[in-house]
Amino acid sequence: MNPIRLGVNIDHIATVRNARGGLDPSPMRAARAVLAAGADSITMHLREDRRHIREDDVLAVRAAITAPLNLEMAATDEMVRFALQVRPHACCLVPEKRTEVTTEGGLDVASQRASLAPVVAALREAGIRVSLFIDPNPAQLEASAAIGAQVVELHTGAYAQGVPGELDRLRAAAALTTTLGLQCHAGHGLTFKNTPPVAALPEVEELNIGHFLVGEAFFVGLYAVIRRMKMVMAR
Ligand code: PXP
């Protein structure tokens, strides 16, 4: 069996950059750094309000890396046009509400089959692997397979929040992906502590993790950065 892959979501590098404006910290530099550390792919979410990643970030990262780029986006005409221009390795379709702080729930594929099916088809025709970010619910899995998605990314947010029974729901959903011929990914809210049971699900091939990794990187990096600044100042 292949080892489970890690996709790193670098959106919050752009969140920090945008807090000040300017160019730093650079999402492209972050993409190179996480790949050098062994990550398998880069995930970027282009949100409707461009609150973190912008088009130029996606284009710059696309040109800078040879590893797979996973573009997360809402299933809108604007985003589909952009994806067809960028041609990332993969697109993950997510629901998006302007007011939400982060992607709150999975895509309701079961009730939006008619509008999602042409989006899936257009992306697939362009050679882009299509993933749907869904709650671990059998009806959503069945609808995802029915409209031609190759991958489902199971939303682990409720599990990460400690909702009782969520690991069992994830386990059952992951098992169903095999029956339906879907690749199984998972992500949202994963940390060092809560990742092992999800990573241990045999069907899960890829995890996409962002917020925790970027936050944790501050603490791993602050010591070295402060030491270096003290040296710079002493010179
Ligand atoms: N997967 C998808 C589809 C997401 O929308 C997000 C959040 O942008 C993640 C994974 C990563 O979640 P987190 O930032 O909580 O690790």
Side-chain angles (χ1 to χ4, degrees):
M1 197 179 76
N2 289 329
I4 187 165
R5 300 185 300 270
L6 172 62
V8 177
N9 181 320
I10 58 169
D11 294 347
H12 292 311
I13 303 294
T15 304
V16 176
R17 181 214 34 214
N18 296 355
R20 175 62 69 95
L23 300 176
D24 294 314
S26 149
M28 189 174 84
R29 186 173 162 202
R32 287 196 171 121
V34 303
L35 292 170
D40 300 286
S41 57
I42 299 296
T43 291
M44 304 173 89
H45 184 175
L46 185 65
R47 293 187 73 99
E48 190 195 2
D49 62 6
R50 312 297 194 270
R51 71 175 71 151
H52 37 57
I53 293 296
R54 303 182 302 236
E55 279 90 336
D56 56 328
D57 295 319
V58 178
L59 293 167
V61 168
R62 176 79 173 92
I65 66 170
T66 51
L69 172 64
N70 173 34
L71 179 63
E72 285 178 6
M73 58 183 225
T76 61
D77 291 347
E78 181 199 17
M79 291 298 161
V80 171
R81 268 196 306 277
F82 181 64
L84 295 178
Q85 178 197 338
V86 177
R87 303 209 172 219
H89 171 77
C91 276
C92 179
L93 300 179
V94 300
E96 204 174 292
K97 283 192 227 127
R98 241 167 212 262
T99 49
E100 70 191 359
V101 174
T102 183
T103 315
E104 278 167 4
L107 201 56
D108 188 358
V109 186
S111 72
Q112 293 171 38
R113 282 179 189 224
S115 58
L116 289 171
V119 174
V120 172
L123 295 170
R124 284 196 61 166
E125 254 168 51
I128 300 168
R129 187 190 71 191
V130 182
S131 165
L132 303 179
F133 187 47
I134 58 168
D135 291 329
N137 168 322
Q140 301 298 347
L141 283 144
E142 279 153 19
S144 300
I147 65 166
Q150 295 120 306
V151 182
V152 286
E153 181 165 326
L154 301 177
H155 196 315
T156 52
Y159 158 75
Q161 282 168 10
V163 174
E166 274 299 311
L167 185 59
D168 289 337
R169 288 182 71 208
L170 286 168
R171 187 177 291 114
L176 188 55
T177 59
T178 310
T179 321
L180 294 170
L182 291 161
Q183 271 186 55
C184 185
H185 300 178
H188 211 280
L190 295 177
T191 64
F192 289 147
K193 210 166 163 185
N194 65 22
T195 292
V198 180
L201 298 174
E203 299 83 4
V204 174
E205 295 179 36
E206 179 177 308
L207 298 179
N208 282 297
I209 310 180
H211 184 265
F212 171 77
L213 293 177
V214 173
E216 193 63 15
F218 291 144
F219 299 105
V220 173
L222 275 172
Y223 184 87
V225 173
I226 300 302
R227 299 280 295 191
R228 182 147 169 211
M229 182 53 84
K230 288 289 281 186
M231 271 168 29
V232 168
M233 287 163 62
R235 252 191 243 139

